[in-house]
Amino acid sequence: MDIRNTADKLLRGEAPSLGELAHLIGNMDERLRAELRKAAGELRDAIFGRRVYFRGLIEFTNYCARNCFYCGLRRDNHGVRRYRLTLEQILSCCETGHVLGYRSFVLQGGEDPYYTDDRMVEIVSAARASYPDCAITISVGERSRASYQKIFDAGANRCLLRHETADPEHYGMLHPKEQSLENRMRCLRDLKEIGYQVGAGFMVGSPWQTAENLAKDLLFLHGFRPHMIGIGPFIPHRDTPLASFEAGALQTTIDMLSMTRLLVPRALLPATTALGSISESGREMGLGAGANVVMPNLSPSDVRKLYSIYDNKKSAGNEAAESLSLMKEQLTAAGFVPDMSRGDWTDGAG
Ligand code: 5AD
Ligand code: SF4
């Protein structure tokens, strides 16, 4: 198989076959990497200009009823001090963000049963009423269609739910048997049908992942066309069953970002915290490979370190909202244009 041919397909925005793409991913060389990165960056520039959108992240609960093998917040990890933010605390995070200029908030948490539909509706309605000019994104895991619908009707616009891996067998190796890729995909389809802007995404370098798994992820994204796509390296957490595995490679993560930009041109693509956590230059490299979103943390500083999905998560310094102006300066110096607007997905008509 000819990797040059496959790369040319990507450069034309065509989906290669699973076999072709897996072969390319397993045999990338520095020249091809650079070529895909450059093309992805140029495509982002052609569609969005040099704008980088800001989303304020509010991690409102670290309780989780799930037991994903990779995640430090899994229910069997008894070493975590658990917290929940009150409605007042959540609104106060929004207020801090709004004053700083944020017009897009992401309410993220573990799958915490305390947040019943009624409580989620209360939170989202209150945020919607106080900040009518802002986009509200939820990231609260798998729920029923009826539940997503209620939260949408209360004023949420977007929902993030990574598919984690598009291969059912690989999914089964990373999750306990009560969790299934099938239900995840059901959620993603429901969310889209309800009218959310939907974010999917996956981890790079998660245990047992093959080049073919990654190819499946990219082809799933190409077919499903999410509005947002979160891609970051797997990073081990010491108190999980996968503690002894190595972190995903920076280079492969960057390759996945470039290929994703080429296959889903209009996607909003964050340079993730995980990417910034494995390398000092991770975030800049992500933006260089076609990413166009950053998600600084607006959570109260005393709880930030408790939201420990993986070890050594970047949670202070540049990731903190207080350092917003520094972050903007860095982006500007790198030739980007910080954009604090809602940054809705568009089909190009607007
Ligand atoms: N390393 C990297 N990313 C992780 N996530 C969870 N655990 C880890 C880890 N150990 C990601 C998952 C999840 C998101 C909230 O964080 O992709 O969807
Ligand atoms: Fe819970 Fe999400 Fe972590 Fe899974 S990845 S254990 S659902 S917080």
Side-chain angles (χ1 to χ4, degrees), residues 60 84 112-123 143 147 150-151:
F60 69 96
R84 292 185 179 111
D112 181 353
Y114 173 84
Y115 294 96
T116 57
D117 292 351
D118 287 349
R119 289 200 170 102
M120 282 309 299
V121 165
E122 186 189 17
I123 292 167
R143 299 178 79 104
S147 172
K150 283 185 200 162
I151 301 170

XYZ file of all heavy atoms in Angstrom, residues 60 84 112-123 143 147 150-151:
161
model
N -17.997 21.067 37.627
C -18.905 21.330 38.745
C -19.113 20.149 39.680
O -19.658 20.301 40.764
C -20.234 21.903 38.243
C -21.091 20.938 37.472
C -22.116 20.232 38.092
C -20.866 20.735 36.117
C -22.906 19.349 37.383
C -21.652 19.849 35.391
C -22.666 19.154 36.028
N -18.962 18.845 45.025
C -19.986 19.344 44.110
C -20.085 20.845 44.291
O -20.061 21.318 45.428
C -21.364 18.758 44.438
C -21.512 17.309 44.182
C -22.934 16.821 44.414
N -22.983 15.407 44.123
C -23.164 14.439 45.031
N -23.354 14.748 46.298
N -23.177 13.181 44.660
N -22.740 12.050 37.694
C -23.094 12.186 39.098
C -24.618 12.141 39.251
O -25.315 13.083 38.847
C -22.530 13.534 39.603
C -22.826 13.767 41.061
O -23.579 12.976 41.666
O -22.295 14.759 41.602
N -25.149 11.054 39.839
C -26.603 10.882 39.923
C -27.303 11.967 40.745
O -28.520 12.148 40.639
C -26.779 9.518 40.599
C -25.430 8.937 40.783
C -24.388 9.951 40.430
N -26.518 12.701 41.539
C -27.113 13.808 42.299
C -27.775 14.802 41.332
O -28.797 15.399 41.641
C -26.029 14.509 43.119
C -26.497 15.767 43.807
C -27.147 15.709 45.038
C -26.295 17.021 43.211
C -27.584 16.870 45.657
C -26.727 18.183 43.821
C -27.374 18.112 45.048
O -27.803 19.251 45.648
N -27.147 14.959 40.166
C -27.677 15.913 39.181
C -28.768 15.242 38.348
O -28.556 14.821 37.227
C -26.554 16.508 38.323
C -25.645 17.359 39.174
C -24.468 16.832 39.705
C -26.001 18.658 39.522
C -23.664 17.580 40.537
C -25.199 19.417 40.372
C -24.032 18.874 40.874
O -23.260 19.628 41.708
N -29.926 15.138 38.982
C -31.116 14.616 38.314
C -31.499 15.584 37.199
O -30.963 16.693 37.110
C -32.266 14.575 39.331
O -32.421 15.920 39.851
C -31.955 13.631 40.483
N -32.465 15.178 36.404
C -32.940 16.074 35.338
C -33.400 17.404 35.929
O -33.075 18.461 35.412
C -34.095 15.421 34.562
C -33.611 14.229 33.765
O -32.378 14.009 33.684
O -34.463 13.497 33.229
N -34.133 17.326 37.031
C -34.635 18.572 37.629
C -33.487 19.493 38.041
O -33.537 20.704 37.832
C -35.516 18.269 38.847
C -36.871 17.704 38.433
O -37.188 17.750 37.220
O -37.600 17.208 39.311
N -32.445 18.898 38.641
C -31.317 19.748 39.074
C -30.564 20.303 37.874
O -30.132 21.463 37.875
C -30.382 18.955 39.991
C -31.003 18.679 41.360
C -29.927 18.336 42.391
N -30.526 18.302 43.726
C -30.841 17.173 44.384
N -30.562 15.991 43.849
N -31.389 17.236 45.581
N -30.366 19.496 36.842
C -29.684 19.999 35.641
C -30.494 21.117 34.986
O -29.940 22.134 34.557
C -29.459 18.862 34.621
C -28.308 17.921 34.929
S -26.724 18.727 35.275
C -26.397 19.585 33.741
N -31.807 20.910 34.932
C -32.671 21.934 34.334
C -32.590 23.230 35.143
O -32.511 24.329 34.589
C -34.134 21.414 34.241
C -35.118 22.548 33.986
C -34.235 20.350 33.146
N -32.553 23.077 36.465
C -32.450 24.264 37.322
C -31.153 25.041 37.023
O -31.151 26.267 36.869
C -32.474 23.819 38.799
C -32.511 24.978 39.761
C -32.320 24.544 41.225
O -31.851 23.402 41.462
O -32.612 25.373 42.104
N -30.049 24.307 36.931
C -28.748 24.955 36.697
C -28.702 25.618 35.324
O -28.337 26.792 35.183
C -27.608 23.903 36.807
C -27.485 23.414 38.252
C -26.282 24.487 36.322
C -26.621 22.168 38.411
N -26.806 10.021 29.189
C -28.126 10.167 29.795
C -29.172 9.685 28.798
O -28.850 9.382 27.644
C -28.385 11.637 30.194
C -27.392 12.162 31.225
C -27.620 13.623 31.578
N -28.712 13.860 32.511
C -28.559 14.157 33.801
N -27.340 14.236 34.334
N -29.603 14.402 34.570
N -33.817 12.984 28.905
C -33.047 13.850 29.784
C -32.281 14.913 28.982
O -32.321 16.110 29.306
C -32.074 12.973 30.588
O -31.190 13.764 31.316
N -34.727 17.546 27.888
C -35.129 18.516 28.926
C -34.053 19.577 29.132
O -34.338 20.758 29.313
C -35.348 17.795 30.262
C -36.660 17.054 30.337
C -36.831 16.468 31.746
C -37.850 15.346 31.735
N -37.764 14.482 32.899
N -32.797 19.119 29.134
C -31.695 20.055 29.382
C -31.534 21.010 28.196
O -31.247 22.195 28.358
C -30.391 19.269 29.675
C -30.596 18.372 30.907
C -29.227 20.217 29.905
C -29.470 17.377 31.149
